[in-house]
Amino acid sequence: MRIGAVMYLNSCPLVAELPRIAPEVEIVFDVPSRLAQRLAAGELDAGLVPSIEVYKNPYWQIVSDACIACRGQVKSVKLFSRVPIPSIQLLALDEGSRTSAVLAQILLYQRYGVRPRLTSLPLQFPVCETSADGVVLIGDRAMQAPEDGFCQVWDLGEEWVRWTGLPMVFALWAARPEADLDRLDQILRQSRDTGLEKLSEIARREALARNLTEQQCLEYFQKHLVFILGEQEKAGLRYFYELARQYGFLPCQSGDRLGPAQSELTSLTPNTP
């Protein structure tokens, strides 16, 4: 079985114990956008993929209640702006992002009626390589402030939660329909639960490689991330999907055309703002 995992620090509590729990599983690390592409191409049996991609692929199935979400400031999903945010005309999107790219555009329109032109920031390019007014960064590089004269920063998780009162779900475990779903649920849940018991150990191991302190890593895990897809997380995700459909980022589909993952998530009623 081949499982794709996000290469950033935020996925470490979910997968750090996976080799011990299921040594026969091959773990493939990559950025979120490419994990979605590889799962769609059949190169992976399951993957920790952007939540927006779960809706776009109706026959994928959500196979675990493990996720990457936040209920406030997330620290690793940010919009950096060289101009006052209402004045953004050109927005550069992190090539590794899918959910966060849509989230940034929704928030810009909802808050200020802004619909900027878009460009891509390739993964290997530093922020100084783009002259865009604003830049969306995700993962580890979003946690390090770019040295390039930005006058305003949005933590996109914090902005979403402040505006909606609901959590924001960035990534979910999804699988192709032919995967062994029962076994996946068991090993992914066990890997998450064991990882949460060893956060200090994981923080200590990851700090140097991520150019962060052990305390920064531990606080990130404990104070800024949510790893369980609870009812409020599902409600927040449903509202995110509703807005994404409203603004044309997702297709509008009738109930009889919804796949299993979509049906599960859209059956909930969120406390919308």
Side-chain angles (χ1 to χ4, degrees):
M1 187 182 299
R2 300 188 83 214
I3 294 179
V6 177
M7 62 191 295
Y8 302 136
L9 179 64
N10 55 15
S11 74
C12 289
L14 299 181
V15 299
E17 291 298 303
L18 193 54
R20 183 184 63 80
I21 291 168
E24 72 282 6
V25 169
E26 178 185 356
I27 307 175
V28 178
F29 289 95
D30 211 330
V31 296
S33 58
R34 291 204 293 243
L35 289 176
Q37 293 169 356
R38 296 172 81 163
L39 183 59
E43 298 174 12
L44 301 171
D45 297 296
L48 188 58
V49 296
S51 56
I52 194 79
E53 295 295 323
V54 175
Y55 195 95
K56 292 180 180 179
N57 293 272
Y59 295 104
W60 288 356
Q61 302 214 38
I62 298 172
V63 291
S64 172
D65 69 348
C67 69
I68 296 175
C70 72
R71 293 190 172 192
Q73 189 182 64
V74 69
K75 299 284 281 186
S76 56
V77 181
K78 294 176 182 174
L79 167 60
F80 296 90
S81 184
R82 294 185 170 99
V83 298
I85 286 178
S87 301
I88 292 176
Q89 296 184 33
L90 179 63
L91 181 66
L93 302 175
D94 192 313
E95 185 185 4
S97 168
R98 289 292 183 270
T99 298
S100 303
V102 172
L103 174 62
Q105 293 175 79
I106 288 173
L107 289 171
L108 283 172
Y109 186 76
Q110 284 286 339
R111 294 280 294 276
Y112 299 115
V114 172
R115 283 193 165 175
R117 292 179 292 113
L118 304 176
T119 187
S120 176
L121 180 67
L123 294 169
Q124 68 273 21
F125 280 27
V127 173
C128 62
E129 292 289 328
T130 178
S131 60
D133 302 315
V135 182
V136 173
L137 294 180
I138 68 168
D140 297 356
R141 67 175 176 171
M143 299 177 73
Q144 309 283 354
E147 301 174 0
D148 195 29
F150 291 94
C151 67
Q152 225 173 328
V153 181
W154 265 4
D155 183 297
L156 293 177
E158 183 177 33
E159 294 297 328
W160 169 267
V161 175
R162 180 183 296 160
W163 173 52
T164 65
L166 293 166
M168 181 64 209
V169 180
F170 294 98
L172 300 164
W173 283 112
R176 296 169 58 80
E178 60 270 22
D180 184 347
L181 303 184
D182 290 339
R183 181 164 175 265
L184 273 169
D185 180 32
Q186 179 183 359
I187 65 175
L188 294 174
R189 185 188 299 260
Q190 185 179 355
S191 177
R192 187 269 316 277
D193 292 347
T194 308
L196 292 181
E197 294 172 357
K198 298 185 176 182
L199 289 180
S200 295
E201 178 183 323
I202 295 170
R204 183 165 54 252
R205 186 169 63 240
E206 294 292 330
L208 183 60
R210 311 280 178 173
N211 197 29
L212 297 167
T213 68
E214 180 181 338
Q215 188 59 32
Q216 284 176 314
C217 292
L218 187 58
E219 288 185 358
Y220 177 54
F221 295 150
Q222 293 178 331
K223 296 183 179 180
H224 300 286
L225 296 178
V226 174
F227 297 104
I228 298 174
L229 187 66
E231 294 304 301
Q232 280 295 295
E233 282 68 35
K234 291 179 182 178
L237 190 52
R238 179 180 185 270
Y239 188 50
F240 176 66
Y241 286 157
E242 288 179 356
L243 291 172
R245 288 195 301 272
Q246 179 180 336
Y247 295 126
F249 297 110
L250 289 175
C252 294
Q253 295 178 326
S254 61
D256 60 351
R257 295 182 60 194
L258 296 180
Q262 297 170 341
S263 296
E264 177 186 350
L265 292 169
T266 58
S267 64
L268 296 167
T269 302
N271 299 315
T272 54

